[in-house]
Amino acid sequence: MSQFDYDLFVIGGGSGGVRAGRIAAEHGARVALAEEYRMGGTCVIRGCVPKKLMVYASGYPGQIHDAQQYGWEATAGRFDWSKFRGKLDAELDRLEGAYRGNLGRSGVTVYDQRAVLSDPHRVTLADGQSFSAAHILVATGGWPFVPDFPGSDLVMTSNEVFKLDEQPESVLVVGGGYIACEFAGIFNGLGTKVTQFYRGAQILRGFDDEARGHVADAMRARGIDLHVGCNVMEVKQVEGGLWVKATNGMEQVFSKVLYATGRVPNSAGLGLEEAGVVLGRNGEIKVDDYSQTNIPSIYAVGDVTDRVNLTPVAIREGHAFADTVFGGTPRKTDHELIPSAVFTQPELGTVGLTEEEARDAGPIEIYAAAFRPMQTLFAGHDERVMMKLIVCGNTRKVLGVHLVGDHAGELIQLAGVAVKMGATKEDFDATVAVHPTMAEELVTLKTPVRTA
Ligand code: NDP
Protein backbone atom coordinates (compact mmCIF):
# COMPACT_ATOMS: atom_id res chain seq x y z
CA MET A 1 0.00 0.00 0.00
CA SER A 2 1.30 3.43 -0.98
CA GLN A 3 2.24 5.86 1.79
CA PHE A 4 0.16 8.49 -0.02
CA ASP A 5 -3.61 9.07 -0.05
CA TYR A 6 -3.50 9.32 -3.86
CA ASP A 7 -1.03 8.46 -6.61
CA LEU A 8 -2.03 11.67 -8.40
CA PHE A 9 -3.79 14.83 -7.31
CA VAL A 10 -4.81 17.09 -10.21
CA ILE A 11 -5.54 20.76 -9.52
CA GLY A 12 -7.81 22.11 -12.26
CA GLY A 13 -10.65 20.47 -14.18
CA GLY A 14 -10.00 21.92 -17.64
CA SER A 15 -8.93 20.21 -20.83
CA GLY A 16 -5.42 19.29 -19.66
CA GLY A 17 -6.25 18.27 -16.09
CA VAL A 18 -9.27 16.15 -16.99
CA ARG A 19 -7.40 14.27 -19.72
CA ALA A 20 -4.42 13.64 -17.44
CA GLY A 21 -6.63 12.47 -14.56
CA ARG A 22 -8.66 10.09 -16.72
CA ILE A 23 -5.68 8.52 -18.46
CA ALA A 24 -3.74 8.17 -15.20
CA ALA A 25 -6.76 6.43 -13.62
CA GLU A 26 -7.08 4.15 -16.64
CA HIS A 27 -3.41 3.24 -16.12
CA GLY A 28 -4.41 2.10 -12.61
CA ALA A 29 -3.47 5.17 -10.57
CA ARG A 30 -5.60 6.35 -7.64
CA VAL A 31 -6.52 9.84 -8.79
CA ALA A 32 -8.26 12.87 -7.28
CA LEU A 33 -9.07 16.12 -9.06
CA ALA A 34 -10.08 19.46 -7.56
CA GLU A 35 -11.90 22.18 -9.50
CA GLU A 36 -13.00 25.43 -7.86
CA TYR A 37 -15.45 26.54 -10.55
CA ARG A 38 -17.06 24.39 -13.24
CA MET A 39 -15.73 21.19 -14.76
CA GLY A 40 -14.46 21.69 -18.30
CA GLY A 41 -12.33 24.77 -17.74
CA THR A 42 -11.90 27.72 -20.04
CA CYS A 43 -12.47 25.81 -23.28
CA VAL A 44 -15.84 24.38 -22.35
CA ILE A 45 -17.23 26.96 -19.95
CA ARG A 46 -15.94 30.34 -21.15
CA GLY A 47 -13.85 29.83 -24.23
CA CYS A 48 -13.73 27.76 -27.39
CA VAL A 49 -17.12 26.05 -27.11
CA PRO A 50 -19.46 28.95 -26.25
CA LYS A 51 -17.39 31.19 -28.55
CA LYS A 52 -17.85 28.86 -31.52
CA LEU A 53 -21.59 28.60 -30.85
CA MET A 54 -21.73 32.40 -30.87
CA VAL A 55 -19.77 32.47 -34.12
CA TYR A 56 -22.42 30.16 -35.62
CA ALA A 57 -25.25 32.32 -34.23
CA SER A 58 -23.70 35.45 -35.67
CA GLY A 59 -23.31 33.93 -39.15
CA TYR A 60 -27.02 33.45 -39.85
CA PRO A 61 -27.97 36.99 -40.92
CA GLY A 62 -25.28 36.82 -43.62
CA GLN A 63 -26.50 33.39 -44.72
CA ILE A 64 -30.08 34.62 -44.89
CA HIS A 65 -28.96 37.58 -46.99
CA ASP A 66 -27.15 35.18 -49.30
CA ALA A 67 -30.17 32.87 -49.41
CA GLN A 68 -32.18 35.80 -50.78
CA GLN A 69 -29.61 36.20 -53.54
CA TYR A 70 -30.11 32.52 -54.39
CA GLY A 71 -33.84 33.08 -54.78
CA TRP A 72 -35.19 32.35 -51.33
CA GLU A 73 -37.76 34.55 -49.71
CA ALA A 74 -36.20 34.85 -46.29
CA THR A 75 -35.76 37.50 -43.62
CA ALA A 76 -33.53 37.39 -40.58
CA GLY A 77 -35.90 39.04 -38.13
CA ARG A 78 -34.66 39.80 -34.62
CA PHE A 79 -31.98 37.93 -32.69
CA ASP A 80 -33.40 36.66 -29.40
CA TRP A 81 -30.39 36.94 -27.09
CA SER A 82 -32.14 35.43 -24.07
CA LYS A 83 -33.33 32.41 -26.06
CA PHE A 84 -29.78 31.84 -27.29
CA ARG A 85 -28.38 32.37 -23.79
CA GLY A 86 -30.79 29.78 -22.37
CA LYS A 87 -29.78 27.21 -24.97
CA LEU A 88 -26.11 28.02 -24.50
CA ASP A 89 -26.34 27.59 -20.73
CA ALA A 90 -28.13 24.25 -21.18
CA GLU A 91 -25.49 23.04 -23.61
CA LEU A 92 -22.66 24.02 -21.26
CA ASP A 93 -24.46 22.19 -18.41
CA ARG A 94 -24.67 19.11 -20.63
CA LEU A 95 -20.99 19.26 -21.50
CA GLU A 96 -19.98 19.84 -17.90
CA GLY A 97 -22.03 16.79 -16.97
CA ALA A 98 -20.28 14.75 -19.65
CA TYR A 99 -16.84 15.75 -18.34
CA ARG A 100 -17.87 14.89 -14.79
CA GLY A 101 -19.40 11.60 -15.91
CA ASN A 102 -16.26 10.58 -17.79
CA LEU A 103 -14.09 11.33 -14.76
CA GLY A 104 -16.40 9.28 -12.53
CA ARG A 105 -16.42 6.34 -14.94
CA SER A 106 -12.61 6.38 -14.99
CA GLY A 107 -12.61 6.20 -11.18
CA VAL A 108 -11.35 9.73 -10.48
CA THR A 109 -12.53 11.27 -7.19
CA VAL A 110 -13.69 14.86 -7.77
CA TYR A 111 -13.57 17.65 -5.18
CA ASP A 112 -15.59 20.72 -6.15
CA GLN A 113 -13.44 23.25 -4.42
CA ARG A 114 -10.19 25.14 -4.63
CA ALA A 115 -7.01 23.22 -3.82
CA VAL A 116 -3.59 24.63 -3.05
CA LEU A 117 -0.24 22.97 -2.46
CA SER A 118 0.94 22.72 1.14
CA ASP A 119 4.18 20.96 0.26
CA PRO A 120 5.56 18.98 -2.70
CA HIS A 121 3.38 15.99 -1.77
CA ARG A 122 0.34 17.57 -0.16
CA VAL A 123 -2.69 19.60 -1.20
CA THR A 124 -5.18 21.35 1.03
CA LEU A 125 -8.76 22.03 -0.02
CA ALA A 126 -10.76 25.16 0.74
CA ASP A 127 -12.77 23.29 3.40
CA GLY A 128 -9.59 22.32 5.23
CA GLN A 129 -9.33 18.69 4.09
CA SER A 130 -5.77 17.77 3.24
CA PHE A 131 -4.43 14.88 1.14
CA SER A 132 -1.02 13.51 0.36
CA ALA A 133 -0.16 12.50 -3.17
CA ALA A 134 2.82 10.87 -4.85
CA HIS A 135 2.43 13.28 -7.75
CA ILE A 136 0.65 16.62 -8.09
CA LEU A 137 -0.37 18.00 -11.48
CA VAL A 138 -1.12 21.72 -11.75
CA ALA A 139 -3.48 22.40 -14.63
CA THR A 140 -5.06 25.67 -13.57
CA GLY A 141 -5.04 27.38 -16.96
CA GLY A 142 -4.94 31.11 -17.58
CA TRP A 143 -6.92 34.21 -16.70
CA PRO A 144 -7.75 37.34 -18.73
CA PHE A 145 -5.34 40.20 -18.22
CA VAL A 146 -6.67 43.76 -18.08
CA PRO A 147 -4.10 46.59 -17.90
CA ASP A 148 -4.40 49.29 -15.26
CA PHE A 149 -6.05 52.54 -16.37
CA PRO A 150 -8.74 54.86 -14.99
CA GLY A 151 -11.99 52.91 -15.21
CA SER A 152 -10.43 49.50 -15.80
CA ASP A 153 -12.89 48.02 -13.29
CA LEU A 154 -15.79 48.96 -15.60
CA VAL A 155 -14.80 46.81 -18.56
CA MET A 156 -15.64 43.16 -19.17
CA THR A 157 -13.46 40.29 -20.39
CA SER A 158 -14.20 37.07 -22.23
CA ASN A 159 -15.10 35.59 -18.81
CA GLU A 160 -18.16 37.83 -18.54
CA VAL A 161 -19.17 38.15 -22.17
CA PHE A 162 -21.09 34.86 -22.24
CA LYS A 163 -23.14 35.97 -19.25
CA LEU A 164 -24.53 39.24 -20.59
CA ASP A 165 -28.27 39.43 -19.95
CA GLU A 166 -28.88 41.36 -23.11
CA GLN A 167 -27.22 42.05 -26.40
CA PRO A 168 -25.30 45.33 -26.22
CA GLU A 169 -26.30 47.96 -28.77
CA SER A 170 -22.67 48.93 -29.22
CA VAL A 171 -19.39 47.49 -28.04
CA LEU A 172 -15.79 48.60 -28.00
CA VAL A 173 -13.40 45.67 -28.31
CA VAL A 174 -9.85 46.36 -27.14
CA GLY A 175 -6.98 44.17 -28.38
CA GLY A 176 -5.87 42.69 -31.67
CA GLY A 177 -5.36 39.03 -30.79
CA TYR A 178 -7.47 35.89 -31.23
CA ILE A 179 -10.15 36.78 -28.70
CA ALA A 180 -10.56 40.43 -29.65
CA CYS A 181 -10.88 39.70 -33.36
CA GLU A 182 -13.21 36.77 -32.85
CA PHE A 183 -15.59 38.77 -30.63
CA ALA A 184 -15.50 41.77 -32.93
CA GLY A 185 -16.82 39.43 -35.64
CA ILE A 186 -19.39 37.79 -33.37
CA PHE A 187 -20.96 41.04 -32.19
CA ASN A 188 -20.83 42.53 -35.66
CA GLY A 189 -22.63 39.50 -37.10
CA LEU A 190 -25.28 39.68 -34.38
CA GLY A 191 -26.02 43.29 -35.26
CA THR A 192 -24.22 45.10 -32.43
CA LYS A 193 -22.29 48.16 -33.60
CA VAL A 194 -18.61 47.22 -33.16
CA THR A 195 -15.57 49.45 -32.72
CA GLN A 196 -12.17 47.83 -32.18
CA PHE A 197 -8.96 49.42 -30.91
CA TYR A 198 -5.58 47.80 -31.45
CA ARG A 199 -2.45 49.48 -30.14
CA GLY A 200 -0.11 48.24 -32.92
CA ALA A 201 -0.02 48.80 -36.67
CA GLN A 202 -1.87 45.62 -37.67
CA ILE A 203 -4.07 43.12 -35.82
CA LEU A 204 -3.15 39.45 -35.23
CA ARG A 205 0.52 40.01 -34.56
CA GLY A 206 2.51 36.81 -35.10
CA PHE A 207 0.40 35.55 -37.99
CA ASP A 208 1.43 35.86 -41.65
CA ASP A 209 1.42 39.56 -42.60
CA GLU A 210 -0.53 39.09 -45.80
CA ALA A 211 -3.16 37.01 -43.97
CA ARG A 212 -3.43 39.66 -41.25
CA GLY A 213 -4.04 42.37 -43.81
CA HIS A 214 -6.60 40.23 -45.60
CA VAL A 215 -8.55 39.55 -42.38
CA ALA A 216 -8.39 43.21 -41.30
CA ASP A 217 -9.69 44.42 -44.68
CA ALA A 218 -12.52 41.89 -44.60
CA MET A 219 -13.47 42.78 -41.02
CA ARG A 220 -13.69 46.45 -41.99
CA ALA A 221 -15.66 45.64 -45.13
CA ARG A 222 -18.12 43.66 -43.02
CA GLY A 223 -18.74 46.71 -40.85
CA ILE A 224 -16.26 46.65 -37.96
CA ASP A 225 -14.88 50.09 -37.17
CA LEU A 226 -11.27 49.00 -36.61
CA HIS A 227 -8.77 51.57 -35.37
CA VAL A 228 -5.10 50.60 -35.26
CA GLY A 229 -2.41 52.51 -33.40
CA CYS A 230 -5.05 53.34 -30.84
CA ASN A 231 -5.63 52.54 -27.18
CA VAL A 232 -7.95 53.44 -24.33
CA MET A 233 -6.91 56.23 -21.96
CA GLU A 234 -9.90 56.34 -19.68
CA VAL A 235 -13.35 54.81 -19.17
CA LYS A 236 -16.17 56.38 -17.15
CA GLN A 237 -19.69 55.24 -16.36
CA VAL A 238 -22.19 57.69 -17.82
CA GLU A 239 -25.89 57.55 -18.51
CA GLY A 240 -26.44 55.16 -21.38
CA GLY A 241 -23.15 53.31 -21.12
CA LEU A 242 -19.41 53.74 -20.84
CA TRP A 243 -17.66 56.88 -21.99
CA VAL A 244 -14.27 56.12 -23.49
CA LYS A 245 -11.43 58.49 -24.20
CA ALA A 246 -8.90 57.13 -26.69
CA THR A 247 -5.27 57.97 -27.40
CA ASN A 248 -6.28 59.27 -30.84
CA GLY A 249 -8.50 61.89 -29.25
CA MET A 250 -11.74 60.02 -29.94
CA GLU A 251 -14.41 60.25 -27.22
CA GLN A 252 -17.43 58.00 -27.51
CA VAL A 253 -20.03 56.21 -25.40
CA PHE A 254 -20.39 52.44 -25.83
CA SER A 255 -22.90 50.08 -24.20
CA LYS A 256 -20.06 47.75 -23.24
CA VAL A 257 -16.26 47.63 -23.42
CA LEU A 258 -14.67 44.21 -23.93
CA TYR A 259 -11.00 43.84 -23.07
CA ALA A 260 -9.15 41.02 -24.79
CA THR A 261 -5.60 42.08 -24.08
CA GLY A 262 -4.09 38.68 -23.42
CA ARG A 263 -4.20 36.06 -20.71
CA VAL A 264 -1.83 35.30 -17.86
CA PRO A 265 -1.01 31.95 -16.25
CA ASN A 266 -3.26 31.20 -13.30
CA SER A 267 -0.49 30.36 -10.85
CA ALA A 268 -0.84 32.91 -8.04
CA GLY A 269 -1.83 31.84 -4.54
CA LEU A 270 -1.47 28.12 -5.22
CA GLY A 271 1.46 27.60 -2.87
CA LEU A 272 3.80 26.96 -5.79
CA GLU A 273 6.63 29.28 -4.75
CA GLU A 274 6.37 28.03 -1.15
CA ALA A 275 6.78 24.47 -2.46
CA GLY A 276 9.91 25.61 -4.32
CA VAL A 277 8.46 25.51 -7.86
CA VAL A 278 10.23 27.85 -10.29
CA LEU A 279 7.94 30.30 -12.08
CA GLY A 280 8.77 32.47 -15.09
CA ARG A 281 8.47 36.24 -15.41
CA ASN A 282 4.76 36.15 -16.21
CA GLY A 283 3.95 33.57 -13.54
CA GLU A 284 4.16 30.62 -15.93
CA ILE A 285 5.24 27.33 -14.35
CA LYS A 286 8.59 26.27 -15.77
CA VAL A 287 8.52 22.64 -16.95
CA ASP A 288 10.72 20.31 -18.98
CA ASP A 289 9.71 18.38 -22.11
CA TYR A 290 7.83 15.88 -19.89
CA SER A 291 5.88 18.66 -18.12
CA GLN A 292 7.87 18.12 -14.91
CA THR A 293 8.78 21.15 -12.77
CA ASN A 294 12.06 21.52 -10.88
CA ILE A 295 10.31 19.75 -7.96
CA PRO A 296 10.21 16.09 -9.08
CA SER A 297 6.74 15.30 -7.66
CA ILE A 298 5.08 18.38 -9.23
CA TYR A 299 4.07 18.58 -12.89
CA ALA A 300 2.12 21.17 -14.88
CA VAL A 301 0.30 21.16 -18.21
CA GLY A 302 -1.73 23.59 -20.32
CA ASP A 303 -1.96 27.38 -20.27
CA VAL A 304 -0.45 27.67 -16.78
CA THR A 305 2.86 26.65 -18.40
CA ASP A 306 2.41 29.21 -21.23
CA ARG A 307 3.86 26.99 -23.96
CA VAL A 308 1.31 26.85 -26.81
CA ASN A 309 -1.97 28.00 -25.27
CA LEU A 310 -4.46 25.88 -27.17
CA THR A 311 -6.90 23.25 -25.87
CA PRO A 312 -5.67 20.35 -28.04
CA VAL A 313 -2.12 21.05 -26.88
CA ALA A 314 -3.14 20.99 -23.20
CA ILE A 315 -4.93 17.69 -23.85
CA ARG A 316 -1.82 16.20 -25.43
CA GLU A 317 0.41 17.46 -22.63
CA GLY A 318 -1.96 15.93 -20.05
CA HIS A 319 -2.09 12.63 -21.92
CA ALA A 320 1.69 12.45 -22.38
CA PHE A 321 2.19 13.22 -18.68
CA ALA A 322 -0.14 10.38 -17.64
CA ASP A 323 1.50 7.90 -20.05
CA THR A 324 4.96 8.96 -18.87
CA VAL A 325 4.35 8.79 -15.13
CA PHE A 326 1.70 6.06 -14.86
CA GLY A 327 1.73 4.18 -18.17
CA GLY A 328 5.37 3.19 -18.36
CA THR A 329 5.74 4.90 -21.76
CA PRO A 330 7.65 8.16 -21.33
CA ARG A 331 6.86 10.59 -24.13
CA LYS A 332 7.15 14.27 -24.87
CA THR A 333 4.51 16.45 -26.44
CA ASP A 334 5.42 17.56 -29.94
CA HIS A 335 4.94 21.33 -30.15
CA GLU A 336 6.06 21.65 -33.78
CA LEU A 337 3.79 22.47 -36.73
CA ILE A 338 0.57 22.89 -34.75
CA PRO A 339 -2.27 23.92 -37.05
CA SER A 340 -4.69 26.46 -35.63
CA ALA A 341 -7.57 28.67 -36.61
CA VAL A 342 -8.79 32.08 -35.59
CA PHE A 343 -12.58 32.17 -35.86
CA THR A 344 -12.73 35.63 -37.25
CA GLN A 345 -15.23 36.28 -40.01
CA PRO A 346 -13.74 35.29 -42.43
CA GLU A 347 -11.74 32.58 -40.66
CA LEU A 348 -7.96 32.36 -40.63
CA GLY A 349 -6.34 28.94 -40.71
CA THR A 350 -2.61 28.53 -40.37
CA VAL A 351 0.13 25.95 -39.99
CA GLY A 352 3.90 26.29 -40.05
CA LEU A 353 6.06 29.30 -40.80
CA THR A 354 4.79 32.71 -41.82
CA GLU A 355 6.45 34.30 -44.86
CA GLU A 356 8.29 36.66 -42.53
CA GLU A 357 9.66 33.79 -40.40
CA ALA A 358 10.53 31.65 -43.42
CA ARG A 359 12.57 34.44 -45.02
CA ASP A 360 15.08 34.10 -42.21
CA ALA A 361 15.32 30.32 -42.72
CA GLY A 362 16.67 30.30 -46.27
CA PRO A 363 15.49 30.67 -49.88
CA ILE A 364 11.72 30.43 -50.23
CA GLU A 365 9.07 30.53 -52.92
CA ILE A 366 5.67 32.05 -52.19
CA TYR A 367 2.62 30.68 -53.96
CA ALA A 368 -0.57 32.63 -53.35
CA ALA A 369 -4.01 33.24 -54.73
CA ALA A 370 -6.79 35.62 -53.76
CA PHE A 371 -10.06 34.90 -55.49
CA ARG A 372 -13.80 35.31 -55.14
CA PRO A 373 -15.32 31.88 -54.41
CA MET A 374 -18.32 30.92 -56.51
CA GLN A 375 -20.77 30.57 -53.63
CA THR A 376 -20.40 34.11 -52.33
CA LEU A 377 -19.66 35.67 -55.71
CA PHE A 378 -23.07 34.41 -56.85
CA ALA A 379 -24.59 36.09 -53.80
CA GLY A 380 -23.02 39.38 -54.84
CA HIS A 381 -20.03 39.53 -52.49
CA ASP A 382 -16.66 40.99 -53.35
CA GLU A 383 -14.81 39.30 -50.51
CA ARG A 384 -11.87 37.21 -51.60
CA VAL A 385 -10.48 34.01 -50.18
CA MET A 386 -6.71 33.96 -49.64
CA MET A 387 -4.58 30.84 -49.98
CA LYS A 388 -0.86 30.88 -49.55
CA LEU A 389 1.91 28.29 -49.50
CA ILE A 390 5.42 28.99 -48.28
CA VAL A 391 7.83 26.57 -49.98
CA CYS A 392 11.48 25.94 -49.14
CA GLY A 393 13.61 26.64 -52.24
CA ASN A 394 16.10 23.91 -51.31
CA THR A 395 14.06 20.97 -49.99
CA ARG A 396 10.78 21.88 -51.80
CA LYS A 397 8.96 21.22 -48.51
CA VAL A 398 5.84 23.25 -47.78
CA LEU A 399 6.90 25.20 -44.71
CA GLY A 400 3.66 27.03 -44.11
CA VAL A 401 0.05 27.23 -45.26
CA HIS A 402 -2.12 30.28 -44.57
CA LEU A 403 -5.78 30.40 -45.50
CA VAL A 404 -8.36 33.14 -45.07
CA GLY A 405 -11.95 32.38 -45.95
CA ASP A 406 -15.02 30.46 -44.87
CA HIS A 407 -14.15 27.07 -43.38
CA ALA A 408 -10.42 27.89 -43.23
CA GLY A 409 -10.38 26.19 -39.82
CA GLU A 410 -11.68 22.95 -41.33
CA LEU A 411 -9.32 23.14 -44.31
CA ILE A 412 -6.18 23.82 -42.30
CA GLN A 413 -6.72 20.65 -40.26
CA LEU A 414 -6.13 18.59 -43.41
CA ALA A 415 -3.42 20.80 -44.89
CA GLY A 416 -1.78 20.39 -41.48
CA VAL A 417 -1.53 16.62 -41.97
CA ALA A 418 0.36 17.11 -45.24
CA VAL A 419 2.69 19.72 -43.78
CA LYS A 420 3.33 17.59 -40.69
CA MET A 421 4.22 14.66 -42.97
CA GLY A 422 6.75 16.87 -44.75
CA ALA A 423 4.87 17.21 -48.04
CA THR A 424 6.65 19.05 -50.85
CA LYS A 425 5.12 21.49 -53.29
CA GLU A 426 5.29 18.67 -55.84
CA ASP A 427 3.23 16.42 -53.52
CA PHE A 428 0.56 19.12 -53.42
CA ASP A 429 0.75 19.41 -57.25
CA ALA A 430 0.51 15.62 -57.68
CA THR A 431 -2.80 15.60 -55.80
CA VAL A 432 -5.77 15.90 -58.16
CA ALA A 433 -8.07 18.84 -57.50
CA VAL A 434 -11.51 18.29 -56.00
CA HIS A 435 -13.76 20.32 -58.24
CA PRO A 436 -15.53 22.67 -57.78
CA THR A 437 -14.22 23.61 -54.34
CA MET A 438 -12.24 26.49 -52.87
CA ALA A 439 -9.55 24.15 -51.60
CA GLU A 440 -8.64 22.96 -55.08
CA GLU A 441 -6.62 26.18 -55.41
CA LEU A 442 -4.15 24.66 -52.96
CA VAL A 443 -3.10 22.05 -55.51
CA THR A 444 -3.25 24.25 -58.60
CA LEU A 445 -0.90 27.09 -57.63
CA LYS A 446 1.44 27.07 -60.64
CA THR A 447 4.04 29.83 -60.38
CA PRO A 448 5.50 31.59 -57.37
CA VAL A 449 4.24 35.14 -56.85
CA ARG A 450 7.66 35.96 -55.40
CA THR A 451 10.84 34.40 -54.09
CA ALA A 452 13.02 35.52 -51.22
P1 NDP B 1 -3.38 37.47 -27.52
O1 NDP B 1 -2.08 37.40 -26.82
O2 NDP B 1 -3.63 36.68 -28.74
O3 NDP B 1 -3.70 38.99 -27.87
C1 NDP B 1 -3.61 40.00 -26.92
C2 NDP B 1 -3.85 41.32 -27.62
O4 NDP B 1 -3.95 42.37 -26.67
C3 NDP B 1 -2.72 41.69 -28.56
O5 NDP B 1 -3.27 42.31 -29.69
C4 NDP B 1 -1.91 42.67 -27.72
O6 NDP B 1 -1.21 43.61 -28.49
C5 NDP B 1 -3.00 43.37 -26.96
N1 NDP B 1 -2.53 43.93 -25.71
C6 NDP B 1 -1.78 43.35 -24.75
N2 NDP B 1 -1.57 44.19 -23.72
C7 NDP B 1 -2.21 45.33 -24.02
C8 NDP B 1 -2.36 46.58 -23.36
N3 NDP B 1 -1.79 46.81 -22.18
N4 NDP B 1 -3.08 47.54 -23.97
C9 NDP B 1 -3.65 47.31 -25.18
N5 NDP B 1 -3.54 46.16 -25.85
C10 NDP B 1 -2.83 45.18 -25.28
O7 NDP B 1 -4.43 37.16 -26.37
P2 NDP B 1 -5.96 36.77 -26.39
O8 NDP B 1 -6.46 37.27 -25.09
O9 NDP B 1 -6.64 37.22 -27.62
O10 NDP B 1 -5.93 35.19 -26.40
C11 NDP B 1 -5.18 34.47 -25.43
C12 NDP B 1 -4.72 33.14 -25.97
O11 NDP B 1 -5.83 32.26 -26.02
C13 NDP B 1 -4.20 33.17 -27.39
O12 NDP B 1 -2.84 33.47 -27.45
C14 NDP B 1 -4.50 31.79 -27.89
O13 NDP B 1 -3.41 30.96 -27.60
C15 NDP B 1 -5.70 31.38 -27.10
N6 NDP B 1 -6.92 31.45 -27.93
C16 NDP B 1 -7.03 30.65 -29.03
C17 NDP B 1 -8.15 30.69 -29.82
C18 NDP B 1 -8.22 29.84 -31.04
O14 NDP B 1 -7.45 28.90 -31.15
N7 NDP B 1 -9.10 30.15 -32.00
C19 NDP B 1 -9.28 31.58 -29.51
C20 NDP B 1 -9.05 32.39 -28.34
C21 NDP B 1 -7.92 32.31 -27.59
P3 NDP B 1 0.26 43.31 -29.12
O15 NDP B 1 0.03 42.49 -30.35
O16 NDP B 1 0.77 44.67 -29.42
O17 NDP B 1 1.04 42.62 -28.07
Side-chain angles (χ1 to χ4, degrees), residues 207-230:
F207 290 89
D208 184 87
D209 276 355
E210 207 172 350
R212 296 163 71 193
H214 202 99
V215 172
D217 290 348
M219 285 170 66
R220 286 196 175 99
R222 288 184 184 216
I224 294 167
D225 185 18
L226 171 61
H227 298 253
V228 294
C230 177

Side-chain angles (χ1 to χ4, degrees), residues 47-48 51 144-148 158 174-182 197-207 212 230-232 259-263 303 306 308-312 340-344:
C48 322
K51 178 275 306 286
F145 157 78
V146 177
D148 216 11
S158 58
V174 183
Y178 283 80
I179 298 179
C181 295
E182 291 180 343
F197 287 176
Y198 172 54
R199 64 179 177 181
Q202 184 57 286
I203 56 167
L204 295 170
R205 186 165 62 82
F207 290 89
R212 296 163 71 193
C230 177
N231 214 341
V232 168
Y259 256 73
T261 43
R263 293 172 60 84
D303 288 6
D306 199 16
V308 180
N309 298 332
L310 297 171
T311 289
S340 70
V342 189
F343 294 98
T344 37

Side-chain angles (χ1 to χ4, degrees), residues 344-364:
T344 37
Q345 300 178 34
E347 287 176 15
L348 166 60
T350 182
V351 63
L353 299 182
T354 65
E355 181 175 343
E356 296 69 40
E357 290 165 340
R359 270 196 214 128
D360 299 333
I364 49 167

Side-chain angles (χ1 to χ4, degrees), residues 286-426:
K286 292 284 187 193
V287 289
D288 67 11
D289 289 346
Y290 296 93
S291 298
Q292 190 174 30
T293 69
N294 60 309
I295 304 295
S297 59
I298 303 176
Y299 289 71
V301 296
D303 288 6
V304 76
T305 63
D306 199 16
R307 284 176 279 182
V308 180
N309 298 332
L310 297 171
T311 289
V313 176
I315 289 173
R316 282 178 178 239
E317 290 168 356
H319 203 134
F321 153 78
D323 286 350
T324 300
V325 177
F326 300 104
T329 46
R331 59 189 187 84
K332 304 172 184 177
T333 302
D334 180 1
H335 290 103
E336 295 301 313
L337 292 173
I338 294 170
S340 70
V342 189
F343 294 98
T344 37
Q345 300 178 34
E347 287 176 15
L348 166 60
T350 182
V351 63
L353 299 182
T354 65
E355 181 175 343
E356 296 69 40
E357 290 165 340
R359 270 196 214 128
D360 299 333
I364 49 167
E365 292 176 1
I366 307 300
Y367 295 82
F371 58 94
R372 291 185 291 176
M374 68 192 264
Q375 184 184 9
T376 48
L377 179 62
F378 189 87
H381 293 286
D382 259 349
E383 192 171 289
R384 286 169 193 270
V385 164
M386 190 206 93
M387 296 199 170
K388 179 168 174 181
L389 301 183
I390 319 286
V391 177
C392 175
N394 294 331
T395 62
R396 308 297 302 150
K397 270 192 189 170
V398 177
L399 303 174
V401 181
H402 308 281
L403 310 174
V404 180
D406 288 344
H407 313 297
E410 302 288 344
L411 298 179
I412 205 68
Q413 180 70 79
L414 299 179
V417 176
V419 173
K420 189 78 187 159
M421 289 174 74
T424 61
K425 174 68 170 65
E426 286 63 37

